[in-house]
Amino acid sequence: ADPVRVGLVVKSLGNGFFEAARDGAMEAAKEIGNAEVIYTGPTSTTAEGQIESINALMSQRVDAIAVSANDPDALAPILKRAMDRGIKVISWDSGVADDARIVHLNPSSNALIGAMCIKLAADVAGDGGGDIAILSATPTSTNQNIWIDEMKKVLPDYSQLKLVDTVYGDDLADKSYRETVALLKKHPDLKVIVAPTSVGIVAAAQAVEDQGKVGKVFVTGLGLPSELAGHVDAGSVKSFAIWNPIDLGYSAMMIAYQLTQDDEHMMIKAGRMGTISFDKDGNGAMSDPFIYDASNVHKFADIF
Amino acid sequence: MNRPVLELRNISKTFPGVKALDGVELQLYPGQVTALIGENGAGKSTLVKVLTGIYAPDGGDILIDDKPVTMQAATDAKRHGISAIHQEAVMFDELTVTENIFINNQSRNMFGLLDWKLMRTRAKTLLEYLDVNIDPDLPLRELSVAHKHLVSFAAALSINSNIVIMDEPTASLSHHEIQELYRLVRRLRDEGKAILFISHKFDEIFEICDRYTVFRDGQFVGAGEISDVTQDDLVAMMVGRTVNQIYPKIETEIGDTVMSVNGLSHPTEFDDIDFNLRKGEILGFYGLVGAGRSEVMQALFGLTRTSSGSMNLNDKPFKPRNPGDAIDQGLVYVPEDRQHQGTILTLPIFQNITLPQLGGLSRSGFIDMAREYDVARKYATRLQLKAASLSENVENLSGGNQQKVVIGKWLATNPNVIIVDEPTKGIDIGSKAAVHKFMGELVAQGLSVIMVSSELPEIMGMADRVIVMHEGRIVARFDRDDMTAEAIVTAATGAS
Amino acid sequence: MTKDLPDDLNNGLRRKLMRWETLLMFFVAIAFFTNTQISPYFLDPWSLSDATFNFTEKAIIALPMALLIIARDIDLSVASTIALASVAMGFANTMGAGPIELAVIGMAVGTIAGFINGWIITKFDIPAIVVTIGTMSLYRGIAYIVLGDDVYRSYPSDFAFFGQGYVWGVLSFEFVLFLVLAVGFGILLHKTTFGRRVYAIGNNPTAALFSGINVKRHRLFLFTLVGLFAGLAAVLLTSRIGSTRPSIATGWELEVITMVVLGGVNILGGAGSIFGVFIAVFLMGLVTFGMGLMNVPGIVMSIFTGLLLILVIGTPIIWRRIWAARKMHSNSRN
Amino acid sequence: MKNTSLIGKLISHREWLLAGIIALMLVGVGSTAPFFISPGNLAEVFDDTAILIMLACAQMLVILTRCIDLSVASNIAFTGMCVALINVAYPDTPALVTLIMSIGIGGVLGAFNGILVWLVGIPSIVVTLGTMSIYRGFVFLLSGGEWVNAHEMTPQFLALPRATFLDLTVLSWIAIAVTIIMLVFTRFTKTGLSIFAVGGNPKAAVYSGLNVGKYQFITFCISGAVAGMCGYLWVSRYAVAYVEVAVAFELQVVAACVIGGISIAGGIGTIWGAALGAIFLGLINNALPVIGISPFWQLAISGLVIVLAVIINSRSEKRGGRRILREAHR
Ligand SMILES: Nc1ncnc2c1ncn2[C@@H]1O[C@H](COP(=O)(O)OP(=O)(O)OP(=O)(O)O)[C@@H](O)[C@H]1O
Ligand SMILES: Nc1ncnc2c1ncn2[C@@H]1O[C@H](COP(=O)(O)OP(=O)(O)OP(=O)(O)O)[C@@H](O)[C@H]1O
Ligand SMILES: [Mg+2]
Ligand SMILES: [Mg+2]
């Protein structure tokens, strides 16, 4: 039979996180045997760019599309149209509107990620606590916004932490850098910058080092070991968290494939990741984030 | 007789559709002024451009001191000791006078950097030599047209050259400045330089030139000593026929007032302009270049806002807010700058002719192409336009034919007042006569003409009445019976 | 002496135009053939129909933009105008406006934005490129002020028709609208007095003024027209993606201008045709669609559009020069 | 009477006006956030603006010749990626060599633009619109879309722009040096003068023996070389190289020129103007967050400023008639 073709649409090409996810999806395809991954996406994090990529996938009549969305609303019409054409659509990492996909795979439980980020911040701030600020990606990024909401929910439990600002680096290294520098200037007492984005956290760490604030301001959040190893050594980052993007890509691919095989979408088998369950809105979570620090970062830096 | 410093043999230059130069020859001798004469489009300026490396000739030889040379760019001309004052003012408005003069001829200091102090001093010296009082640090745009031209003379003189070319140098100069220029030419001649002098004005040719060369339609017709020929001989060589009457004043019935202007004023350009224009009349406006005549005419045409005053046209108040208003009410303006204001060079002849009255040639906004073409053909024929076809772009026509297109375009609107601003500036004698004859026909048909001109013979030959302007004001009025050249010129210079 | 000038009305002009469009057609044929070879999915009506969505809104702005560029102006603020108009529609939607009202509001805001551009440019006599670089930031900036990091969504379901509806079979509303507008603009530019005046202004604004054309009013009208069409594009795009963010349509201005220039419109004004722009739209559409089928990343496609632009503009220039040189050569031998 | 002429003089000297506005802004911001005008912070703001200043000066030369270079931002991305990859492959390359290489690579890209403008005769806006896409596309091909991150770059690669000398970063010093070289170049060299001439009146330039295309070519080479150098400085300063580096930055560069009074019609402009225009934009970018204005206002404010600046410039450029009438002179 023809192989099952799955379009893996990412927020932007060239981002280390998504490259790792692609490798995971490839691994899954190999395991399935009769499947093929089409890795695509725009170079900048725009919804219009993703729409064009999805259009191209539809024209090729792929069997399934797995998308990490730059914008949950703007992608909805085109994904609905894809579903009308018989294409199975799932979102992963960053979701789309509920009716524009069959299921959404969260890398982890959103509440857990939010809580984890704040906990990391509290740990690094020490008992004295202090001011913290959030450096996000684009203002429209679904997962970022959910995580920030979750962080705000748990913040009252940490009376020593005070959230003073939220800024957006648009997942551009230079913009994130500038925003961080502005943060440092505006809030001289800033203690922790939480960047739940792999681009932002690197830029923030670099900015803290360049501003000579190592030891005074710490950066934490979500990032890749390979990109952060240097900054952990430099001391601007003490610890950070991430789930395994390879596993995430692997799971997304497995789920997409399974959906092309049968209609089951409450409990989906995802190969070596076991069975993932989805609630009535189609939301499911993969696994818990894992914390990296000086003790283990170099070990994982070679992997992703 | 001595040997020529510069000799051209069998030079040809072709533009798409035009043989601008067809195997012409020319000799220039040291210490002599050679006039280059020919109708518009005869190829004079093209020859200058070939000589200064701006155009590469298709064939032929250029010999300097009997040695063949090639000109790739304007810098080669400079190297060979040729400097030129071109027909169009080709200067840099945003640069200072000094920068303009030394644009390709700078002095450097010991670090290899430009030495502005030295150049400023040299500029001062040059301008003094030309007997003009211009601050070398002023940006060129602040100078009058005439002064700009004089700066271009200074630039040409800054190069130590043996050969000086002047392409219609007097076209924008006042009487006084022309006299200064003659002195300069004679001085250069006496220094032993060879001078090529291009002009359409016979009086100056006979005044300062020693030799002549005549071109017709891109071909060499003849050359010789000025003292051996008369004006009629030259005209005959130029046009291949004799032109008897240059200013054919046709006596017409002058009727009632069609237009009256009362106390028209502008904050900075003109003041208290008062005059009447009658049916079938040619009203001349004379003045030195820069007297503000064009500004007044442009105000009549609705291009310039006025601060006070009133106008009447055909017994109705006339207050044009833009040229469209003026055209609608039957007043049109043939501007002095053909190439920029008069025509759209890059559009075909027929589109130029019909442009002001497109509305009339269309049905609910859609152009009726057949009618459009009829109109264009009618006026092209009437004006004896010389062109390959009506779809030819105007840029491919000679100056005289371009002017015919402009006049044709305005006649096609059936005006009753037509303002012509310097209608024969830079036009050869043949085309000039055609334009004059045509103006005579127009008034005979009952049109009224306002003619702005800086050429005294033209004004005196054509106009029924003459108004003289000086520095934005009317300073004198003459009827045909009492106008004398002295009186008009005296009034124009502002002397009371 | 008085014989009539030859009657070859239009021929010269038409020949000149034909040469350009023939070249474009040639490129279109190549692109079409290549696409049939590289992908079995290419010749599917629905695929082709889907592909038109990628360029239709831009192409609709390209039509008035062509007129504007022919008249020696340019508008870099169109993409920002889309953002502004879209935000206005989103706001109106929260106030309960219906689909038609939304469309009217979008186009009205676009029109106002275009009018402001034109007003500043003609009133103060400033080059259009400079002013519209400013309003480009200004308009999108206003969109950001209004919306910030928020989003407008849940447009009425009827509103989706403009950007997602089909008129007949695979023919989407957007695409049919574009075809109709292209014909309309072709007539406007090539057959009417207005079009002729646009050419006149583009070739020599001073002489156009001296010929009684109200140059300022024409330019103002053209800017307003471009604004109106940017507003229309905003309606279509907003309807198509069903939501509004201030970053909507980022970078479109350059794509629209690329289409126009590729269509043979002289960026320096005075020359060009709607037909050329029309073909160029399809050329770009075909090239990007073909590469999309091969999953070529958008950034790599842009290499091809960039090359195409330089190639298509450069080829006739070089060709004309060789031709002129050869003619010169044969002349001088005679 | 005296008063109006004084103002007239001031306004006609746009640079002074612009410098005045910049000073006012500093005072304004300083009164709400005093630390902003501390020397240390100003040095940082300057450091942040240095790249824009250099690019604006180079772009000015291009604009003077009636061209425009929209490919500078893509040039930055391409050259930046090149030197970053070279640094990964040959970590021993000294920073100075990298800097020189970046100038060379950028210069080649600029020369390519210049050749198309000069020898092929395609309008510059078309050429650079094309190469803007092409160069950025090449960054993707070169890198396979992957990022080069800080930890892959060597310390010496990263150190150059950060090193400080007399309280200013080397990046700032480079910007100052470039500005001074440009000043001398435009005022005291034949090429500099010729660039003004060919832009002011191309036809007259031909008649004066100046090859218009050649000077346009030269300005594109300069613009490319400066952009290339900025490519290295950018990548090293932000410690990352990727496809989208400096996206849309060309518009800021052109905007800086416009604010600085460089006439888009060619022939008019000064290095001071370009540099002040860049500083002005840099100041707005840096000051807004400090005085607590939401970043969402930033875009609209800079847009408004550009529009106002060009309106003011156009007013001061108007030379109200020739004044034929005598009284008007007095
Ligand atoms: N660049 C050009 N392209 C095409 N044709 C040209 C060009 N320059 C000149 N011509 C044509 O060559 C012929 C000679 O023109 P030229 O300017 O040399 O005449 P001229 O004798 O100087 O006339 P005038 O007295 O009007 O200045 C004319 O027919 C003109 O139309
Ligand atoms: N210094 C100058 N700078 C720029 N343009 C000028 C300058 N002087 C004149 N002009 C323009 O050149 C053209 C010819 O000017 P000209 O010297 O003939 O003045 P004018 O006002 O037309 O006076 P007149 O018609 O009485 O000679 C006019 O259109 C004028 O606007
Ligand atoms: Mg001539
Ligand atoms: Mg005049």
Side-chain angles (χ1 to χ4, degrees), chain B residues 340 343-344 346 365-367 372-373 377 387-389 391 409-410, chain C residues 4-8 187 191-193 196 203-204 207 209-211:
Chain B
H340 293 109
T343 53
I344 300 181
T346 43
F366 292 88
I367 300 174
E372 181 183 19
Y373 193 74
R377 184 168 40 203
S389 92
S391 304
K409 125 178 169 182
W410 289 119
Chain C
D4 284 353
L5 292 170
D7 192 305
D8 64 349
I187 293 172
K191 296 284 174 215
T192 68
T193 54
R196 177 69 64 77
N203 277 288
N204 183 344
L209 176 69
F210 274 71
S211 301

mmCIF file of all heavy atoms in Angstrom, chain B residues 340 343-344 346 365-367 372-373 377 387-389 391 409-410, chain C residues 4-8 187 191-193 196 203-204 207 209-211:
data_model
loop_
_atom_site.group_PDB
_atom_site.id
_atom_site.type_symbol
_atom_site.label_atom_id
_atom_site.label_comp_id
_atom_site.label_asym_id
_atom_site.label_seq_id
_atom_site.Cartn_x
_atom_site.Cartn_y
_atom_site.Cartn_z
ATOM 1 N N HIS B 340 9.878 69.993 -20.517
ATOM 2 C CA HIS B 340 9.361 69.605 -19.210
ATOM 3 C C HIS B 340 7.910 69.983 -19.005
ATOM 4 O O HIS B 340 7.170 69.281 -18.343
ATOM 5 C CB HIS B 340 10.220 70.202 -18.102
ATOM 6 C CG HIS B 340 11.590 69.636 -18.082
ATOM 7 N ND1 HIS B 340 12.693 70.356 -18.469
ATOM 8 C CD2 HIS B 340 12.029 68.395 -17.780
ATOM 9 C CE1 HIS B 340 13.755 69.585 -18.392
ATOM 10 N NE2 HIS B 340 13.390 68.394 -17.971
ATOM 11 N N THR B 343 5.463 69.195 -23.345
ATOM 12 C CA THR B 343 5.108 67.904 -23.917
ATOM 13 C C THR B 343 5.463 66.787 -22.954
ATOM 14 O O THR B 343 6.226 66.974 -22.023
ATOM 15 C CB THR B 343 5.906 67.617 -25.202
ATOM 16 O OG1 THR B 343 7.283 67.783 -24.898
ATOM 17 C CG2 THR B 343 5.502 68.508 -26.333
ATOM 18 N N ILE B 344 4.880 65.650 -23.223
ATOM 19 C CA ILE B 344 5.289 64.451 -22.510
ATOM 20 C C ILE B 344 6.127 63.661 -23.498
ATOM 21 O O ILE B 344 5.622 63.005 -24.399
ATOM 22 C CB ILE B 344 4.067 63.682 -22.025
ATOM 23 C CG1 ILE B 344 3.279 64.593 -21.078
ATOM 24 C CG2 ILE B 344 4.495 62.396 -21.341
ATOM 25 C CD1 ILE B 344 2.056 63.991 -20.495
ATOM 26 N N THR B 346 7.836 61.049 -23.567
ATOM 27 C CA THR B 346 7.811 59.593 -23.697
ATOM 28 C C THR B 346 6.444 59.060 -24.109
ATOM 29 O O THR B 346 6.211 57.867 -24.056
ATOM 30 C CB THR B 346 8.233 58.948 -22.365
ATOM 31 O OG1 THR B 346 7.593 59.658 -21.306
ATOM 32 C CG2 THR B 346 9.729 59.030 -22.182
ATOM 33 N N GLY B 365 -16.435 58.715 -20.365
ATOM 34 C CA GLY B 365 -15.138 58.325 -19.822
ATOM 35 C C GLY B 365 -14.317 57.396 -20.698
ATOM 36 O O GLY B 365 -13.128 57.227 -20.476
ATOM 37 N N PHE B 366 -14.936 56.789 -21.711
ATOM 38 C CA PHE B 366 -14.186 55.895 -22.592
ATOM 39 C C PHE B 366 -13.684 56.667 -23.813
ATOM 40 O O PHE B 366 -14.458 57.348 -24.485
ATOM 41 C CB PHE B 366 -15.064 54.728 -23.037
ATOM 42 C CG PHE B 366 -15.396 53.796 -21.919
ATOM 43 C CD1 PHE B 366 -16.496 54.024 -21.117
ATOM 44 C CD2 PHE B 366 -14.583 52.704 -21.653
ATOM 45 C CE1 PHE B 366 -16.787 53.178 -20.060
ATOM 46 C CE2 PHE B 366 -14.875 51.852 -20.595
ATOM 47 C CZ PHE B 366 -15.976 52.094 -19.798
ATOM 48 N N ILE B 367 -12.393 56.525 -24.079
ATOM 49 C CA ILE B 367 -11.812 57.306 -25.165
ATOM 50 C C ILE B 367 -12.265 56.746 -26.512
ATOM 51 O O ILE B 367 -12.241 55.537 -26.733
ATOM 52 C CB ILE B 367 -10.271 57.261 -25.090
ATOM 53 C CG1 ILE B 367 -9.812 57.831 -23.750
ATOM 54 C CG2 ILE B 367 -9.654 58.028 -26.243
ATOM 55 C CD1 ILE B 367 -8.340 57.707 -23.522
ATOM 56 N N GLU B 372 -9.991 60.486 -31.731
ATOM 57 C CA GLU B 372 -8.748 61.025 -31.185
ATOM 58 C C GLU B 372 -7.694 61.120 -32.286
ATOM 59 O O GLU B 372 -7.027 62.135 -32.451
ATOM 60 C CB GLU B 372 -8.268 60.091 -30.067
ATOM 61 C CG GLU B 372 -6.996 60.566 -29.408
ATOM 62 C CD GLU B 372 -6.493 59.607 -28.349
ATOM 63 O OE1 GLU B 372 -6.907 58.434 -28.361
ATOM 64 O OE2 GLU B 372 -5.673 60.037 -27.535
ATOM 65 N N TYR B 373 -7.592 60.079 -33.043
ATOM 66 C CA TYR B 373 -6.592 60.053 -34.083
ATOM 67 C C TYR B 373 -6.908 61.091 -35.169
ATOM 68 O O TYR B 373 -6.003 61.759 -35.683
ATOM 69 C CB TYR B 373 -6.515 58.650 -34.704
ATOM 70 C CG TYR B 373 -5.300 58.504 -35.558
ATOM 71 C CD1 TYR B 373 -4.042 58.372 -34.980
ATOM 72 C CD2 TYR B 373 -5.394 58.528 -36.942
ATOM 73 C CE1 TYR B 373 -2.916 58.268 -35.754
ATOM 74 C CE2 TYR B 373 -4.269 58.418 -37.730
ATOM 75 C CZ TYR B 373 -3.025 58.278 -37.127
ATOM 76 O OH TYR B 373 -1.923 58.186 -37.903
ATOM 77 N N ARG B 377 -4.369 63.982 -36.328
ATOM 78 C CA ARG B 377 -3.899 64.068 -37.709
ATOM 79 C C ARG B 377 -4.194 65.429 -38.303
ATOM 80 O O ARG B 377 -3.392 66.019 -39.014
ATOM 81 C CB ARG B 377 -4.544 62.972 -38.555
ATOM 82 C CG ARG B 377 -4.010 62.975 -39.991
ATOM 83 C CD ARG B 377 -4.418 61.747 -40.726
ATOM 84 N NE ARG B 377 -5.794 61.409 -40.387
ATOM 85 C CZ ARG B 377 -6.309 60.188 -40.494
ATOM 86 N NH1 ARG B 377 -5.558 59.201 -40.906
ATOM 87 N NH2 ARG B 377 -7.560 59.953 -40.183
ATOM 88 N N ALA B 387 7.366 63.876 -38.912
ATOM 89 C CA ALA B 387 7.597 62.742 -38.020
ATOM 90 C C ALA B 387 7.333 61.463 -38.796
ATOM 91 O O ALA B 387 6.690 61.487 -39.844
ATOM 92 C CB ALA B 387 6.664 62.810 -36.815
ATOM 93 N N ALA B 388 7.846 60.349 -38.260
ATOM 94 C CA ALA B 388 7.660 59.079 -38.962
ATOM 95 C C ALA B 388 6.200 58.653 -38.912
ATOM 96 O O ALA B 388 5.642 58.171 -39.884
ATOM 97 C CB ALA B 388 8.545 58.004 -38.337
ATOM 98 N N SER B 389 5.570 58.838 -37.756
ATOM 99 C CA SER B 389 4.154 58.522 -37.649
ATOM 100 C C SER B 389 3.590 59.233 -36.435
ATOM 101 O O SER B 389 4.336 59.734 -35.599
ATOM 102 C CB SER B 389 3.931 57.016 -37.524
ATOM 103 O OG SER B 389 3.902 56.648 -36.171
ATOM 104 N N SER B 391 2.283 57.889 -34.017
ATOM 105 C CA SER B 391 2.507 57.094 -32.807
ATOM 106 C C SER B 391 3.950 57.171 -32.346
ATOM 107 O O SER B 391 4.351 56.506 -31.396
ATOM 108 C CB SER B 391 2.145 55.632 -33.063
ATOM 109 O OG SER B 391 0.822 55.554 -33.504
ATOM 110 N N LYS B 409 -1.407 70.949 -29.876
ATOM 111 C CA LYS B 409 -2.215 70.415 -28.769
ATOM 112 C C LYS B 409 -3.124 71.493 -28.212
ATOM 113 O O LYS B 409 -4.263 71.216 -27.827
ATOM 114 C CB LYS B 409 -1.268 69.832 -27.738
ATOM 115 C CG LYS B 409 -1.360 70.319 -26.338
ATOM 116 C CD LYS B 409 -0.365 69.551 -25.496
ATOM 117 C CE LYS B 409 -0.227 70.202 -24.142
ATOM 118 N NZ LYS B 409 0.753 69.551 -23.298
ATOM 119 N N TRP B 410 -2.664 72.746 -28.234
ATOM 120 C CA TRP B 410 -3.501 73.810 -27.680
ATOM 121 C C TRP B 410 -4.529 74.309 -28.684
ATOM 122 O O TRP B 410 -5.642 74.649 -28.310
ATOM 123 C CB TRP B 410 -2.644 74.945 -27.133
ATOM 124 C CG TRP B 410 -1.954 74.500 -25.893
ATOM 125 C CD1 TRP B 410 -0.622 74.426 -25.671
ATOM 126 C CD2 TRP B 410 -2.582 74.017 -24.701
ATOM 127 N NE1 TRP B 410 -0.374 73.922 -24.427
ATOM 128 C CE2 TRP B 410 -1.557 73.664 -23.811
ATOM 129 C CE3 TRP B 410 -3.920 73.823 -24.303
ATOM 130 C CZ2 TRP B 410 -1.809 73.145 -22.550
ATOM 131 C CZ3 TRP B 410 -4.167 73.315 -23.053
ATOM 132 C CH2 TRP B 410 -3.120 72.977 -22.186
ATOM 133 N N ASP C 4 -0.348 63.028 -45.121
ATOM 134 C CA ASP C 4 -0.719 62.598 -43.770
ATOM 135 C C ASP C 4 0.340 61.680 -43.189
ATOM 136 O O ASP C 4 1.006 60.943 -43.899
ATOM 137 C CB ASP C 4 -2.049 61.837 -43.818
ATOM 138 C CG ASP C 4 -3.203 62.796 -43.987
ATOM 139 O OD1 ASP C 4 -2.944 64.018 -43.931
ATOM 140 O OD2 ASP C 4 -4.324 62.323 -44.186
ATOM 141 N N LEU C 5 0.417 61.746 -41.879
ATOM 142 C CA LEU C 5 1.337 60.834 -41.227
ATOM 143 C C LEU C 5 0.738 59.427 -41.266
ATOM 144 O O LEU C 5 -0.463 59.260 -41.193
ATOM 145 C CB LEU C 5 1.560 61.282 -39.791
ATOM 146 C CG LEU C 5 2.330 62.595 -39.718
ATOM 147 C CD1 LEU C 5 2.312 63.127 -38.321
ATOM 148 C CD2 LEU C 5 3.748 62.396 -40.197
ATOM 149 N N PRO C 6 1.595 58.421 -41.366
ATOM 150 C CA PRO C 6 1.088 57.055 -41.490
ATOM 151 C C PRO C 6 0.138 56.689 -40.350
ATOM 152 O O PRO C 6 0.302 57.114 -39.215
ATOM 153 C CB PRO C 6 2.345 56.196 -41.422
ATOM 154 C CG PRO C 6 3.483 57.104 -41.491
ATOM 155 C CD PRO C 6 3.027 58.496 -41.399
ATOM 156 N N ASP C 7 -0.795 55.874 -40.701
ATOM 157 C CA ASP C 7 -1.867 55.558 -39.785
ATOM 158 C C ASP C 7 -1.556 54.274 -39.028
ATOM 159 O O ASP C 7 -2.154 53.234 -39.270
ATOM 160 C CB ASP C 7 -3.136 55.385 -40.616
ATOM 161 C CG ASP C 7 -4.367 55.345 -39.759
ATOM 162 O OD1 ASP C 7 -4.430 54.520 -38.845
ATOM 163 O OD2 ASP C 7 -5.251 56.146 -40.020
ATOM 164 N N ASP C 8 -0.610 54.314 -38.130
ATOM 165 C CA ASP C 8 -0.349 53.075 -37.391
ATOM 166 C C ASP C 8 -0.664 53.273 -35.918
ATOM 167 O O ASP C 8 0.093 52.956 -35.034
ATOM 168 C CB ASP C 8 1.073 52.583 -37.597
ATOM 169 C CG ASP C 8 2.084 53.539 -37.047
ATOM 170 O OD1 ASP C 8 1.689 54.676 -36.702
ATOM 171 O OD2 ASP C 8 3.254 53.175 -36.946
ATOM 172 N N ILE C 187 -9.869 47.720 -18.231
ATOM 173 C CA ILE C 187 -10.638 48.715 -18.989
ATOM 174 C C ILE C 187 -10.328 50.117 -18.477
ATOM 175 O O ILE C 187 -10.068 51.032 -19.247
ATOM 176 C CB ILE C 187 -12.143 48.396 -18.874
ATOM 177 C CG1 ILE C 187 -12.437 47.078 -19.592
ATOM 178 C CG2 ILE C 187 -12.971 49.531 -19.452
ATOM 179 C CD1 ILE C 187 -13.841 46.568 -19.375
ATOM 180 N N LYS C 191 -8.642 52.004 -21.471
ATOM 181 C CA LYS C 191 -9.688 52.494 -22.367
ATOM 182 C C LYS C 191 -10.278 53.840 -21.958
ATOM 183 O O LYS C 191 -11.023 54.445 -22.723
ATOM 184 C CB LYS C 191 -10.840 51.464 -22.438
ATOM 185 C CG LYS C 191 -10.449 50.135 -23.047
ATOM 186 C CD LYS C 191 -10.329 50.240 -24.553
ATOM 187 C CE LYS C 191 -9.787 48.941 -25.116
ATOM 188 N NZ LYS C 191 -8.909 49.150 -26.265
ATOM 189 N N THR C 192 -9.995 54.288 -20.766
ATOM 190 C CA THR C 192 -10.698 55.490 -20.311
ATOM 191 C C THR C 192 -9.774 56.703 -20.245
ATOM 192 O O THR C 192 -8.544 56.572 -20.276
ATOM 193 C CB THR C 192 -11.297 55.291 -18.905
ATOM 194 O OG1 THR C 192 -10.209 55.182 -17.978
ATOM 195 C CG2 THR C 192 -12.150 54.042 -18.838
ATOM 196 N N THR C 193 -10.389 57.856 -20.157
ATOM 197 C CA THR C 193 -9.609 59.093 -20.018
ATOM 198 C C THR C 193 -8.813 59.051 -18.730
ATOM 199 O O THR C 193 -7.689 59.530 -18.684
ATOM 200 C CB THR C 193 -10.539 60.306 -19.989
ATOM 201 O OG1 THR C 193 -11.515 60.105 -18.975
ATOM 202 C CG2 THR C 193 -11.249 60.482 -21.308
ATOM 203 N N ARG C 196 -5.674 57.156 -19.314
ATOM 204 C CA ARG C 196 -4.727 57.924 -20.119
ATOM 205 C C ARG C 196 -4.050 59.001 -19.282
ATOM 206 O O ARG C 196 -2.855 59.249 -19.395
ATOM 207 C CB ARG C 196 -5.473 58.558 -21.288
ATOM 208 C CG ARG C 196 -4.632 59.439 -22.174
ATOM 209 C CD ARG C 196 -3.612 58.670 -22.987
ATOM 210 N NE ARG C 196 -4.221 57.757 -23.930
ATOM 211 C CZ ARG C 196 -4.774 58.127 -25.080
ATOM 212 N NH1 ARG C 196 -4.782 59.381 -25.428
ATOM 213 N NH2 ARG C 196 -5.306 57.229 -25.872
ATOM 214 N N ASN C 203 4.381 59.787 -16.830
ATOM 215 C CA ASN C 203 5.463 60.111 -17.749
ATOM 216 C C ASN C 203 6.035 61.491 -17.524
ATOM 217 O O ASN C 203 7.223 61.710 -17.701
ATOM 218 C CB ASN C 203 4.996 59.983 -19.197
ATOM 219 C CG ASN C 203 5.062 58.557 -19.689
ATOM 220 O OD1 ASN C 203 6.139 58.034 -19.913
ATOM 221 N ND2 ASN C 203 3.922 57.913 -19.815
ATOM 222 N N ASN C 204 5.183 62.447 -17.168
ATOM 223 C CA ASN C 204 5.673 63.801 -16.926
ATOM 224 C C ASN C 204 4.622 64.591 -16.157
ATOM 225 O O ASN C 204 3.728 65.186 -16.746
ATOM 226 C CB ASN C 204 5.997 64.488 -18.252
ATOM 227 C CG ASN C 204 6.582 65.869 -18.044
ATOM 228 O OD1 ASN C 204 6.485 66.447 -16.974
ATOM 229 N ND2 ASN C 204 7.198 66.404 -19.084
ATOM 230 N N ALA C 207 4.204 68.392 -17.184
ATOM 231 C CA ALA C 207 3.497 68.626 -18.437
ATOM 232 C C ALA C 207 2.032 68.238 -18.296
ATOM 233 O O ALA C 207 1.152 68.864 -18.883
ATOM 234 C CB ALA C 207 4.143 67.836 -19.564
ATOM 235 N N LEU C 209 0.275 68.588 -15.616
ATOM 236 C CA LEU C 209 -0.331 69.734 -14.928
ATOM 237 C C LEU C 209 -0.574 70.872 -15.909
ATOM 238 O O LEU C 209 -1.646 71.473 -15.947
ATOM 239 C CB LEU C 209 0.598 70.207 -13.808
ATOM 240 C CG LEU C 209 0.163 71.449 -13.042
ATOM 241 C CD1 LEU C 209 -1.064 71.116 -12.204
ATOM 242 C CD2 LEU C 209 1.280 71.962 -12.152
ATOM 243 N N PHE C 210 0.432 71.157 -16.732
ATOM 244 C CA PHE C 210 0.317 72.243 -17.709
ATOM 245 C C PHE C 210 -0.708 71.908 -18.787
ATOM 246 O O PHE C 210 -1.084 72.779 -19.567
ATOM 247 C CB PHE C 210 1.679 72.518 -18.361
ATOM 248 C CG PHE C 210 2.540 73.468 -17.578
ATOM 249 C CD1 PHE C 210 3.114 73.070 -16.386
ATOM 250 C CD2 PHE C 210 2.776 74.759 -18.022
ATOM 251 C CE1 PHE C 210 3.902 73.935 -15.665
ATOM 252 C CE2 PHE C 210 3.574 75.640 -17.291
ATOM 253 C CZ PHE C 210 4.141 75.217 -16.109
ATOM 254 N N SER C 211 -1.124 70.639 -18.885
ATOM 255 C CA SER C 211 -2.133 70.274 -19.871
ATOM 256 C C SER C 211 -3.525 70.295 -19.270
ATOM 257 O O SER C 211 -4.467 69.798 -19.870
ATOM 258 C CB SER C 211 -1.849 68.878 -20.421
ATOM 259 O OG SER C 211 -0.585 68.852 -21.013
#
